[in-house]
Amino acid sequence: MERSSTAEFEVVSQVQLHKRYLTLYDRRIRFTRADGKVTLIREYGQGHNSLVYCLPTGGFDPKKHKDFAACALAELSEEAMLHGGSFVRLLPEQHPGLNEVKWSMNRFQPFMVISPELIIIMCGLPGRGKTFLCNKIKCYLNWLGHPTKHFNVGSYRRQQKHQDEVQSADFFDANNAHGVEAREKAAFCCTQDVLEYLATESGQVAIFDATNTTEERRQSLVQQFHGRYQYLFIESICNDPKALETNYHAKMSFSPDYTGISTSQAMGDFKARISMYEKVYKPISNRNLHYIKLIDMVTGRGHMDVNRISGYLGGKIVFFLMQVCKAGMANSRKIWLTPHGASDFSLAGRVGGDSRLCGEGEEYARRLPEVVVDRLPLTFEDRAIPVSVWTSTLVRTIQTAKFLPFPKLRWKALDELHAGVCDGLSYAEIEKRFPHEFAARRKDKLKYRYPSGESYLDVVQRLEPVIIEIEREKECVLVVAHQAVLRAILGYFTAAPLESIPTLEIPAHTLIELRPRPDGTMDVEFLPVRLRNAAGATGVLACTRGVSPVSSEELPVQVPFGAVFTATPFSHRTGVRLHRTTAGGAEPPQPEAGAVSPGSGAGTQRRATMYQ
């Protein structure tokens, strides 16, 4: 652990909050390093009877500790499970310490660890969803502001092989000396890159993606990382034959090892490779290790074994894995994002507000249901997957979604970025009234916070429950929201760098379709909807029912925390087929060439009539 005698920060202000049992301060700190991250421990504060963020405390013992710094190091590494980072003393060397009120003889010497690094070590047989989990964890942590990089040992192995070398199943035999040497070399190079990455100021979390099936290999990694960095193992175990077969077929679609090889030949070789690993595989059983064991979790069922996991990042990863594994890997659902239709404020170029849709936005709202129905995925039984519509609590998103024939949830967390004192103003007015604020926002759009308002980073934090609920859903989700909110959500699912989120393109009157891939990444497609501008062409929705309608109140809808369920006039179980007619009952004119043409093909009719 690196120790620093001079703290790389300055105390901006300090206000005493409480002086009954403990002296509590609201201390504002400005770090000289722009990328500084702080990890605090959340504990119960008896003074004001609530949870507070604080540092772990421990007693100094001259027999055990060389000095105060050694005592702090022991507490941070043992109680708080923090390793690595910059070890900073918060008071000058000769300071006697902060006086504690209840026991006046006690004094505190505060220390802090800045940016403790973490290594996530994957473990498990091939085809158990390790790469899926790696990509999901990487997206999640990067999105939350913890720089994370994925290191795959298999990629190093493929880079190091000779041009004409064939690495078939025999290459992975434990008795194949050449294969063992090549794989050890790949693992060594990957480990060195992990250590180099964490030695940089930008590296905080490294994911070491390999099978690590033997106790010897895992112990070797522990010896390299212990005392230098936090580390934890994630072991994925799957015993479901049907799920395994699905995973194997999915892996054939993206594995570089089987590019240009027929599926049947690739499957045979891959199963033979797994047999080689099974001969030496020993699941984690050492309770002294820090690990998360997922047993049949990638199927959407199963259970989790969590051992010696603590700290902020470790807890976040455990919680995230519990949610992301609920939906399982083999999932044909889709996620749609769309901005609200044009509103009075958007036409006027004004920020925020709660204005209603204008005529163009109303037309988009009427056309949106047909576009969505046209894109509904079907199950193996040729039935449409259920859809849930999520909106913000603002009028323009509610109006955009009002014609969609699916259950709707309203999320306060999906509301637009709050512009504070600039709410309702145009950018020209903001520049004129608040020139310093306008310049600050232009300089750093990600971190800039409107006075009495929010920043993009604030939006990311409040959207975390929404992301978690989307990840754990098995059905399709359509999110109707606002530009800043959709940028943050799209940035998560596309693994966009955090600093690029404020500039992501969210076209107006466009349906953004996200299709999950087996490796945890996303296919993205933008579907612009061209509106009819001819007089009399704006239609109204009509429907023909294939079965008797079911009221939305009868549907078993599980409402996430923070959302409100609203009834909808059409149910996704009713078998409604949507089409559009003009006021006179005649079919409307066709859209322009190149536009999305919903509801015109046999696929749409089948999806609509089977959607029950």
Side-chain angles (χ1 to χ4, degrees):
M1 179 175 289
E2 177 187 351
R3 299 187 182 184
S4 174
S5 58
T6 59
E8 297 180 350
F9 64 87
E10 59 175 320
V11 177
V12 178
S13 64
Q14 179 170 290
V15 179
Q16 183 170 317
L17 299 179
H18 196 274
K19 193 175 179 180
R20 181 182 177 188
Y21 296 111
L22 299 174
T23 302
L24 303 176
Y25 293 97
D26 178 10
R27 171 170 284 190
R28 306 295 179 182
I29 297 176
R30 178 185 295 118
F31 287 90
T32 57
R33 293 191 312 170
D35 62 342
K37 301 281 192 298
V38 179
T39 299
L40 298 177
I41 310 302
R42 195 180 191 194
E43 294 183 329
Y44 175 73
Q46 59 177 330
H48 50 72
N49 193 31
S50 66
L51 290 174
V52 295
Y53 289 93
C54 59
L55 295 174
T57 58
F60 172 71
D61 185 348
K63 297 180 180 179
K64 296 170 54 179
H65 307 126
K66 177 183 175 182
D67 51 26
F68 290 131
C71 175
L73 175 61
E75 289 298 326
L76 290 169
S77 60
E78 294 175 13
E79 180 181 340
M81 305 296 295
L82 299 178
H83 302 277
S86 179
F87 186 43
V88 177
R89 184 170 187 150
L90 300 182
L91 293 177
E93 288 283 349
Q94 304 304 320
H95 196 287
L98 299 175
N99 188 37
E100 200 275 340
V101 175
K102 185 176 180 181
W103 300 279
S104 59
M105 296 297 293
N106 291 344
R107 291 181 178 272
F108 291 97
Q109 288 282 354
F111 293 82
M112 182 181 294
V113 169
I114 300 178
S115 295
E117 293 85 7
L118 171 66
I119 302 176
I120 301 172
I121 308 169
M122 304 304 296
C123 175
L125 294 170
R128 265 60 180 179
K130 295 188 299 298
T131 301
F132 169 84
L133 297 173
C134 288
N135 284 324
K136 284 297 184 183
I137 293 172
K138 182 184 71 172
C139 285
Y140 180 62
L141 295 182
N142 275 322
W143 187 71
L144 289 179
H146 306 286
T148 304
K149 191 172 181 180
H150 178 200
F151 297 85
N152 181 266
V153 174
S155 298
Y156 287 78
R157 168 179 57 79
R158 285 184 286 271
Q159 292 172 6
Q160 294 173 0
K161 76 173 184 176
H162 301 298
Q163 185 175 359
D164 299 328
E165 182 181 1
V166 178
Q167 296 179 344
S168 61
D170 294 336
F171 176 84
F172 300 90
D173 191 340
N175 298 317
N176 184 332
H178 168 68
V180 171
E181 181 183 0
R183 286 184 286 141
E184 289 291 342
K185 180 181 178 181
F188 174 80
C189 293
C190 185
T191 304
Q192 295 305 305
D193 284 353
V194 166
L195 297 177
E196 290 180 10
Y197 167 71
L198 293 179
T200 65
E201 290 188 354
S202 60
Q204 186 179 0
V205 182
I207 304 177
F208 186 81
D209 183 11
T211 54
N212 298 315
T213 50
T214 64
E215 292 181 356
E216 292 77 14
R217 168 64 68 80
R218 295 192 289 265
Q219 193 59 39
S220 173
L221 294 173
V222 169
Q223 291 174 358
Q224 294 182 70
F225 302 147
H226 185 70
R228 302 174 65 182
Y229 303 106
Q230 282 185 289
Y231 64 88
L232 62 87
F233 288 88
I234 297 179
E235 182 175 22
S236 182
I237 299 174
C238 183
N239 301 308
D240 188 311
K242 184 178 179 181
L244 288 176
E245 195 69 18
T246 302
N247 289 354
Y248 296 165
H249 278 281
K251 188 173 179 65
M252 298 305 101
S253 66
F254 66 83
S255 174
D257 284 332
Y258 298 108
T259 302
I261 301 177
S262 66
T263 302
S264 58
Q265 182 181 353
M267 283 288 290
D269 182 81
F270 186 63
K271 290 181 178 180
R273 179 194 299 189
I274 294 174
S275 298
M276 296 297 180
Y277 277 103
E278 287 176 334
K279 295 177 182 178
V280 298
Y281 176 45
K282 297 288 185 183
I284 296 176
S285 59
N286 184 359
R287 286 289 181 179
N288 291 321
L289 295 179
H290 312 281
Y291 66 78
I292 304 168
K293 186 176 292 194
L294 309 174
I295 298 96
D296 289 328
M297 289 286 285
V298 293
T299 65
R301 303 178 299 277
H303 61 282
M304 180 184 292
D305 181 7
V306 179
N307 186 69
R308 298 192 67 194
I309 300 297
S310 61
Y312 173 76
L313 283 181
K316 296 291 283 187
I317 291 170
V318 170
F319 173 73
F320 179 70
L321 290 176
M322 292 176 66
Q323 313 308 317
V324 78
C325 290
K326 181 179 182 295
M329 285 179 57
N331 200 325
S332 59
R333 71 172 182 143
K334 294 180 180 180
I335 300 167
W336 294 290
L337 310 176
T338 184
H340 58 78
S343 67
D344 296 332
F345 261 39
S346 63
L347 288 182
R350 298 191 175 277
V351 177
D354 193 15
S355 63
R356 303 179 65 83
L357 295 183
C358 63
E360 188 177 338
E362 180 76 14
E363 184 182 350
Y364 178 69
R366 293 179 179 277
R367 288 186 58 80
L368 185 59
E370 295 177 278
V371 180
V372 175
V373 169
D374 193 40
R375 308 290 299 186
L376 291 176
L378 301 177
T379 65
F380 292 112
E381 294 80 18
D382 209 30
R383 295 169 62 91
I385 295 176
V387 179
S388 179
V389 179
W390 297 359
T391 72
S392 73
T393 62
L394 300 179
V395 172
R396 53 191 183 274
T397 63
I398 297 172
Q399 287 184 323
T400 302
K402 67 181 178 180
F403 296 115
L404 290 163
F406 314 112
K408 301 178 181 68
L409 299 176
R410 296 180 187 176
W411 285 82
K412 182 67 176 175
L414 288 174
D415 284 1
E416 178 62 296
L417 185 152
H418 184 31
V421 298
C422 299
D423 189 72
L425 302 179
S426 68
Y427 286 112
E429 291 172 333
I430 294 174
E431 184 177 14
K432 182 177 180 180
R433 297 189 192 182
F434 309 101
H436 296 294
E437 297 297 333
F438 187 84
R441 179 180 180 273
R442 174 172 290 181
K443 183 179 180 180
D444 190 349
K445 199 172 178 181
L446 176 68
K447 299 176 183 177
Y448 171 77
R449 179 182 288 117
Y450 284 99
S452 304
E454 291 181 301
S455 68
Y456 267 91
L457 289 180
D458 295 329
V459 172
V460 167
Q461 293 298 320
R462 68 167 156 95
L463 281 176
E464 185 182 2
V466 178
I467 292 295
I468 292 298
E469 287 297 329
I470 294 177
E471 286 284 18
R472 70 195 298 270
E473 283 287 349
K474 294 184 179 181
E475 62 185 33
C476 298
V477 176
L478 169 57
V479 180
V480 184
H482 312 267
Q483 181 172 254
V485 170
L486 293 179
R487 281 173 169 167
I489 297 175
L490 183 63
Y492 167 79
F493 282 111
T494 58
L498 190 60
E499 59 273 11
S500 72
I501 284 179
T503 59
L504 291 179
E505 186 73 17
I506 303 293
H509 299 155
T510 298
L511 186 68
I512 304 173
E513 183 173 276
L514 305 174
R515 297 183 294 272
R517 302 184 67 216
D519 63 350
T521 59
M522 285 282 182
D523 287 328
V524 183
E525 185 174 359
F526 289 76
L527 305 168
V529 180
R530 296 185 183 175
L531 307 180
R532 302 182 178 98
N533 297 317
T538 301
V540 296
L541 282 179
C543 66
T544 53
R545 296 174 173 81
V547 295
S548 299
V550 180
S551 68
S552 55
E553 288 81 359
E554 298 173 1
L555 297 177
V557 178
Q558 182 178 2
V559 182
F561 179 78
V564 178
F565 173 68
T566 58
T568 180
F570 300 112
S571 164
H572 68 280
R573 308 284 177 88
T574 60
V576 171
R577 178 178 183 271
L578 298 175
H579 64 273
R580 186 180 297 279
T581 61
T582 59
E587 288 296 323
Q590 297 300 311
E592 301 176 18
V596 174
S597 181
S600 58
T604 300
Q605 298 179 20
R606 181 180 55 163
R607 285 173 174 81
T609 55
M610 296 301 296
Y611 200 52
Q612 48 185 287

